[in-house]
Amino acid sequence: MSLSEAQVTQIAYLARLSLSDDELQDNTKDLNDILGLAEQLGAIETDNIEPMAHPLHMTQRLRADVVTETDQSELFQSIAPKTGNGHYLVPTVIE
Amino acid sequence: MSIHTKTIAQLAQGLQDKEFSSVEITQHYLDRIKQSDLNAFITVTDELAIAQAQAADDKIASGGASILTGIPYAHKDIFCTQGVKTSAGSKMLDNFISPYDATVSHQLNQADLVMLGKANMDEFAMGSSNENSFYGAVKNPWDKSKIPGGSSGGSAAAVAGGLSCFATGTDTGGSIRQPASLCGITGLKPTYGRVSRYGMIAYASSLDQAGPMTKTAQDAAIVLNAMAGFDDKDSTSAEQAVPDYTANLNDSIKGLTIGLPKEFFSDGLDDGVATQVMNAVKEFEAMGAIVKEITLPNSAYAIPTYYIVAPCECSSNLSRMDGVRYGHRCDNPKDLEDLYLRSRSEGFGAEVKRRIMIGAYALSAGYYDAYYLKAQKTRHLISDDFKKAFAEVDVIMGPVSPTTAFDLGSVKDPVSMYLADIYTLSANLAGLPGMSIPAGFSNKLPVGLQLIGNYWSESKLLNIAHQFQQQTDWHTKTPEEG
């Protein structure tokens, strides 16, 4: 199976990327090549194999439910593209 | 012997003996960086470096110094450094002055090291040639028309080119070992979870691991002592005691069983590389090691497995780069969607976009089982192959990369570039530690020997590498001689 340019445009949108015409053409070829590589996995018998989520099969640690972070919002917002009154500003979403 | 060819151990001795000061060696490196055209650094932190060197000299004078006090190093630009630009080689983070330190940055500061600057790298650590950096490609110090390897290409070029005593690197699919191999230095990727990932900008979280890139195995042991350890800020950090990695360097390796996976010596391996790797193996035999052929039957599947798993994780990790809280934001967004779309499309380079899209597709409804789940199951098989191998042998050896460094700009299609990662990917998928050590030259370009060990066997790997470096002088060669 192979991806069409329309499908690649849709995948790009899912990832919130927009592609120029040239990029779309290149990516359609490259994505198909890479998925072609991935098709090799179909040759492996994995019916009774557990997926490996963690290299050492560790479980997540729990920590005590206590506050450890201090308020550094001013420092963090000092590098934000746009802020106001302690908020991150983006174009108006709801009028 | 000039300053920039000295190891950490030699510089530390010279600092102790007042042969030179940390300010002097730091200035020596800064001068060399200024004159260099390797493009190994994204940011040079000269003022900070001199201030750190002065503090180190004070500490040495007052008698509280450790072996790392006052040693200059290059820090891969993937580690957050408070108050210093941390770009990860991306336009997206070109304006990102980190508000906090990565745990590794903190540990290296605690050790009184001197940071010369932030090393160039493939954008978000995605690449095998360092050609994917927003800041331009890095040149290989052995031949400036060649790639240095990637993604830690700036780190490797800085050490090989005498621009820093050592460097930090990160390895998700070979990004420490492969550039170390192509630049003729020593690189160690520890066991997954050995070094904290906190503040190390994430590419593929289940594979990423930081480690040292140095001139010698002894130096790698010294640096790993400072980097390794449990960190409760990293949920995948291992609660495993940290030994003194220098303690066993001098152990005898007589009787060591070396496994050579037949899959690592098949078609596609360059003859010159194969010859140097086999010469190194013979050297080990002469030192009393026993060599056995082994098989890692699923290792060929490491490429498709990795190039599904890693893009899936990266598409998730990089979703945070949205132009809202930090990093690049497009001009005059007309609405929120336009802000996301244009900020991301302008901020990311071609390879990063490609991997994000592969991940978004492989994780999308209807395709998850066929790609991501299938790859995670295959990963289990790859890991089991190693388990069986380590029941028979102490260490696995082979090439790091199928060829020596290739020409800048010569590999254009992504799949050909991915195929060159064949020998390094499986250690990441299994979470195992691996090293690259200098093992000779082919056509005047360095060849690395790869060592892969069992979980938590860093001491053993360093011991094996150190013993090899006692018998050979490949690690002492510098580009300036030739």
Side-chain angles (χ1 to χ4, degrees):
Chain A
M1 141 209 142
S2 117
L3 295 174
S4 65
E5 290 195 355
Q7 283 172 299
V8 172
T9 304
Q10 177 59 24
I11 295 164
Y13 178 72
L14 280 177
R16 293 300 179 271
L17 293 169
S18 59
L19 302 175
S20 69
D21 290 347
D22 282 354
E23 281 181 312
L24 178 60
Q25 221 178 351
D26 291 349
N27 275 290
T28 303
K29 183 191 176 298
D30 292 341
L31 262 54
N32 277 312
D33 287 352
I34 297 165
L35 292 173
L37 191 68
E39 299 295 326
Q40 293 173 11
L41 294 177
I44 314 166
E45 176 57 61
T46 51
D47 280 356
N48 296 309
I49 308 295
E50 284 289 308
M52 180 168 159
H54 187 289
L56 297 159
H57 311 291
M58 278 181 183
T59 48
Q60 293 277 300
R61 282 188 312 277
L62 297 175
R63 64 168 179 84
D65 187 16
V66 292
V67 177
T68 53
E69 291 292 323
T70 52
D71 179 7
Q72 299 185 72
S73 53
E74 238 173 82
L75 173 66
F76 294 160
Q77 291 202 333
S78 68
I79 53 165
K82 208 169 183 188
T83 58
N85 298 325
H87 300 285
Y88 292 97
L89 298 186
V90 296
T92 310
V93 178
I94 304 164
E95 291 293 341
Chain B
M1 186 186 227
S2 37
I3 297 281
H4 56 271
T5 57
K6 287 184 192 287
T7 63
I8 295 172
Q10 290 163 341
L11 284 181
Q13 192 61 50
L15 288 167
Q16 257 337 298
D17 297 346
K18 309 273 184 288
E19 210 180 298
F20 38 71
S21 68
S22 175
V23 170
E24 281 164 357
I25 58 176
T26 299
Q27 194 58 56
H28 176 78
Y29 277 117
L30 289 171
D31 292 344
R32 284 183 62 83
I33 293 169
K34 209 172 224 173
Q35 288 154 14
S36 161
D37 60 356
L38 298 174
N39 198 27
F41 286 84
I42 291 172
T43 305
V44 180
T45 49
D46 22 10
E47 281 177 32
L48 174 71
I50 294 295
Q52 286 180 329
Q54 268 156 356
D57 282 332
D58 292 345
K59 197 147 190 176
I60 293 164
S62 65
S66 78
I67 190 156
L68 288 173
T69 304
I71 306 291
Y73 77 103
H75 205 15
K76 187 175 182 181
D77 205 21
I78 200 166
F79 294 98
C80 284
T81 41
Q82 189 168 7
V84 175
K85 175 167 129 177
T86 302
S87 75
S90 182
K91 180 183 176 186
M92 182 60 91
L93 295 179
D94 183 49
N95 62 1
F96 181 68
I97 309 293
S98 176
Y100 73 107
D101 270 332
T103 295
V104 167
S105 305
H106 177 72
Q107 287 165 315
L108 300 184
N109 284 337
Q110 291 295 107
D112 304 312
L113 283 156
V114 174
M115 184 176 84
L116 296 165
K118 304 294 292 286
N120 204 341
M121 56 181 282
D122 281 302
E123 184 177 6
F124 290 109
M126 298 178 204
S128 316
S129 68
N130 215 119
E131 293 170 300
N132 297 334
S133 169
F134 173 62
Y135 302 92
V138 175
K139 295 172 187 165
N140 190 313
W142 292 92
D143 178 343
K144 290 175 187 171
S145 69
K146 309 281 184 193
I147 58 131
S151 68
S152 310
S155 299
V159 176
L163 307 181
S164 68
C165 180
F166 78 93
T168 57
T170 60
D171 191 317
T172 304
S175 286
I176 287 175
R177 289 161 289 156
Q178 186 254 19
S181 171
L182 303 190
C183 287
I185 63 165
T186 301
L188 167 64
K189 177 203 105 67
T191 307
Y192 180 79
R194 176 73 297 180
V195 175
S196 170
R197 293 187 301 108
Y198 178 76
M200 190 177 109
I201 296 170
Y203 156 26
S205 306
S206 78
L207 305 165
D208 295 342
Q209 182 59 203
M213 301 177 75
T214 55
K215 294 190 174 84
T216 64
Q218 183 188 24
D219 279 4
I222 293 167
V223 178
L224 187 61
N225 275 348
M227 291 175 84
F230 171 68
D231 180 13
D232 64 10
K233 290 177 178 156
D234 170 3
S235 66
T236 57
S237 171
E239 289 181 81
Q240 179 91 7
V242 179
D244 174 359
Y245 291 107
T246 63
N248 298 97
L249 291 175
N250 294 316
D251 288 1
S252 163
I253 57 163
K254 214 164 183 291
L256 178 84
T257 316
I258 298 170
L260 298 183
K262 61 177 187 201
E263 293 81 4
F264 281 23
F265 294 89
S266 56
D267 297 347
L269 178 62
D270 176 84
D271 287 343
V273 173
T275 304
Q276 294 308 315
V277 167
M278 287 318 294
N279 285 345
V281 171
K282 278 183 208 136
E283 186 71 43
F284 278 107
E285 275 186 302
M287 291 161 72
I290 301 148
V291 177
K292 255 179 138 170
E293 188 186 89
I294 56 165
T295 176
L296 299 170
N298 292 293
S299 62
Y301 296 117
I303 297 173
T305 302
Y306 177 87
Y307 281 101
I308 290 298
V309 172
C312 285
E313 295 185 12
C314 102
S315 77
S316 168
N317 277 326
L318 296 190
S319 63
R320 76 185 75 170
M321 309 287 168
D322 59 3
V324 174
R325 289 155 301 155
Y326 49 80
H328 177 74
R329 175 183 286 201
C330 65
D331 288 333
N332 307 314
K334 69 176 193 309
D335 53 31
L336 187 58
E337 188 167 283
D338 183 43
L339 185 154
Y340 290 149
L341 282 168
R342 278 202 291 131
S343 299
R344 287 167 63 79
S345 302
E346 292 167 9
F348 292 135
E351 181 62 24
V352 173
K353 286 180 190 169
R354 219 159 16 235
R355 295 197 195 183
I356 289 175
M357 285 190 280
I358 287 289
Y361 177 68
L363 291 174
S364 63
Y367 299 100
Y368 177 85
D369 285 7
Y371 291 111
Y372 188 67
L373 194 67
K374 183 80 184 180
Q376 290 287 61
K377 287 180 174 180
T378 312
R379 188 174 176 185
H380 213 144
L381 294 173
I382 291 168
S383 175
D384 285 347
D385 285 351
F386 280 110
K387 218 169 265 172
K388 283 178 202 140
F390 283 121
E392 287 181 50
V393 300
D394 301 315
V395 63
I396 293 171
M397 289 189 190
V400 178
S401 177
T403 63
T404 53
F406 48 84
D407 286 339
L408 283 158
S410 65
V411 179
K412 292 193 170 67
D413 78 294
V415 168
S416 305
M417 191 72 93
Y418 299 172
L419 296 178
D421 298 339
I422 175 75
Y423 306 128
T424 48
L425 298 175
S426 45
N428 297 83
L429 291 166
L432 294 165
M435 282 189 85
S436 174
I437 55 173
F441 293 83
S442 173
N443 291 325
K444 295 184 179 166
L445 289 168
V447 173
L449 171 74
Q450 183 170 210
L451 321 178
I452 301 172
N454 212 340
Y455 298 106
W456 315 113
S457 68
E458 288 82 358
S459 283
K460 186 82 211 161
L461 290 180
L462 289 161
N463 165 226
I464 295 166
H466 181 70
Q467 289 306 307
F468 183 74
Q469 293 179 344
Q470 299 306 297
Q471 299 300 322
T472 58
D473 63 356
W474 303 119
H475 61 288
T476 66
K477 306 282 184 208
T478 61
E480 284 167 23
E481 296 168 21

